[in-house]
Amino acid sequence: MAAHIATLAGDKHTRSADGYVKLPNPHLAGLRQDGLFHIKVPLDDHETLKEFSNVKFVCIGGTPGRVRLLAEKLSTELNLGKEKDTGDGPEHHFDFSFSTERYSGYKVGPVFCVNHGMGLPSVAILLHEVFKLLQAAGCSGVTLIRVGTCGGLGVEPGTVVVSSGSLTAGLKEVYVTSALGQPVELPVAVDQDLVKEISACASSAEGDDFKVKVGKTYCAEDFYQGQGRLDGSFCDYSKEDQLRFFNKLQSLGVCNIEMESAAVLAMAHKVGVKAAVVCVVLVDRLKCDLPLLTVEEMKRIENYPLQLIIRHIKKQLSKNS
């Protein structure tokens, strides 16, 4: 049964010829009640769905603060205006926003920014609901972009990595999940044209003080042992084992490590949505396990991937206007 499920999951995706999001779940049409349990956007409210119908980009990041900052920057960059000053500073205009115990989201024109939490399970839950929202709203030509932070392998802090692939435990380019108690492998697939378009948005003319690198990403299932750290509550391997692991990853073309890319790239491929992962390096893992940056340095370099994808979004929107 496991092999059967894996084959079904791995061999098909549903990018429709007309570009509309059409999900490969035959049960959705027959549900008496359906909802988005975690993000609480109503699927039965036609006005809300109409508001989302023009979404062309979904930008996801780990924390609510990061996606709100991105939404605020987009509000300014896309010339969508701001609300009047409330006395505490200008209040940014959002077409729609929500905040639950786990996720927060902000719609700015054709861009929906929402945080995904930490790790594969959290981002997978969010994506199921975001994809359902996109289908219900009748969205087409959507691009999904994860923006975040990562550790580098021989890559200096402040470098922005655009993922050309994602490996998981076992060093295969698959996202491993489960269905009916059996393991399921969804293949990671990356639109390399999208990778080139985003990486090309780096510009010395804009005064960038960061580099952009394209390479594969290792997607770990946790922050400590999964990423080969030595400082977890337990550790059954040596420093030499850690370095051998990192060297193996490098030999496979891996240049950074994080915890969500495989789910993003595999799930988007499964439902026929283009996706990319863009992360800034906080620490070179060949030198140490944790960042040595000051708070000010951290805040500065966390803006680098935001700058890059905002440029990409503006460029694509101007192309289609």
Side-chain angles (χ1 to χ4, degrees), residues 18-21 51-59 107-112 134 138-145 273-274 312-313 316-317 320:
D18 56 10
Y20 285 91
V21 177
E51 189 70 66
F52 277 88
S53 64
N54 69 334
V55 167
K56 297 297 180 184
F57 295 91
V58 177
C59 297
K107 182 182 179 294
V108 184
V111 188
F112 181 37
L134 296 176
C139 297
S140 64
V142 178
T143 298
L144 169 70
I145 304 174
V273 170
K274 289 198 300 184
H312 172 71
I313 289 170
Q316 295 304 309
L317 292 178
N320 299 322

Side-chain angles (χ1 to χ4, degrees), residues 122-197:
S122 184
V123 73
I125 291 167
L126 172 74
L127 290 179
H128 274 290
E129 298 192 7
V130 167
F131 293 149
K132 288 175 63 177
L133 174 60
L134 296 176
Q135 175 174 263
C139 297
S140 64
V142 178
T143 298
L144 169 70
I145 304 174
R146 160 166 148 69
V147 56
T149 59
C150 63
L153 290 176
V155 180
E156 64 184 32
T159 303
V160 176
V161 176
V162 184
S163 300
S164 60
S166 180
L167 285 70
T168 52
L171 306 184
K172 296 191 296 183
E173 292 196 58
V174 295
Y175 162 50
V176 183
T177 182
S178 65
L180 306 181
Q182 299 294 326
V184 175
E185 291 185 352
L186 297 181
V188 168
V190 183
D191 188 313
Q192 300 300 335
D193 289 335
L194 177 59
V195 170
K196 290 176 185 175
E197 288 168 2

Side-chain angles (χ1 to χ4, degrees), residues 92-125:
H92 286 264
H93 169 74
F94 301 123
D95 302 325
F96 185 93
S97 64
F98 74 89
S99 182
T100 69
E101 290 182 354
R102 293 180 175 85
Y103 303 110
S104 297
Y106 308 90
K107 182 182 179 294
V108 184
V111 188
F112 181 37
C113 303
V114 56
N115 81 291
H116 59 62
M118 187 183 296
L120 291 165
S122 184
V123 73
I125 291 167

